[in-house]
Each structure stands twice: as structure tokens, then as C-alpha cells.
Amino acid sequence: MSTFLSVIVALSAICVTASVVVQESNQVGLGTLDGSGSASSEWGSNRGTSRKEMLKRITLVTSIVFFIATIALVAITK
């Protein structure tokens, strides 16, 4: 059982790392000074189906799996 949980922890750690690295930064830097932000372009369109939202969801789910598997692994090994 501990081997199975160790594999789950390792795979979820790799997935969390990869999904965080692939995500774009939320900071736009000096692009907000001219007032031509793209806030209206994402308002309500493709809610939850964009690449950005999918990466957020993947990061959230894999981090939860990582957290639960790590807690379970610690509980089993003690």
C-alpha cells in the first residue's frame, strides 16, 4: 500500500509542477498603464473551458491528490 501511495505522490508532484510551469503569469506589467486591458474579452466567454481555466483546474485537482496521498502515506508508515 505504501508503494502505491508513493507512486501516486510522485506522479501528482510531477503533474503539479508541470501544470504550474506551463501556466502564464497573471501580471501584465506596464501593459495596464494605457488602459487597454483585455478584461472585457474574457468576461463570460468560454467560462471554464479556456486553456487557462483548464490548467487552473488541473493544478487544483492534482494538488489535492498530492496533499491527500501524502497525508495517507504518513499515516500508514507510522
Side-chain angles (χ1 to χ4, degrees):
M1 186 68 172
S2 65
T3 304
F4 175 72
L5 286 175
S6 296
V7 170
I8 296 295
V9 167
L11 288 176
S12 63
I14 291 170
C15 288
V16 167
T17 304
S19 65
V20 167
V21 167
V22 172
Q23 286 182 11
E24 295 178 8
S25 174
N26 287 336
Q27 299 175 351
V28 289
L30 295 175
T32 59
L33 291 179
D34 62 356
S36 64
S38 62
S40 62
S41 66
E42 292 187 32
W43 182 260
S45 64
N46 298 328
R47 188 174 297 162
T49 60
S50 67
R51 180 176 183 261
K52 185 177 180 181
E53 292 299 320
M54 292 298 286
L55 283 173
K56 282 183 184 179
R57 188 174 297 136
I58 289 170
T59 304
L60 178 69
V61 169
T62 55
S63 62
I64 290 171
V65 168
F66 176 78
F67 181 73
I68 291 172
T70 303
I71 297 297
L73 185 62
V74 168
I76 287 175
T77 57
K78 285 200 174 200

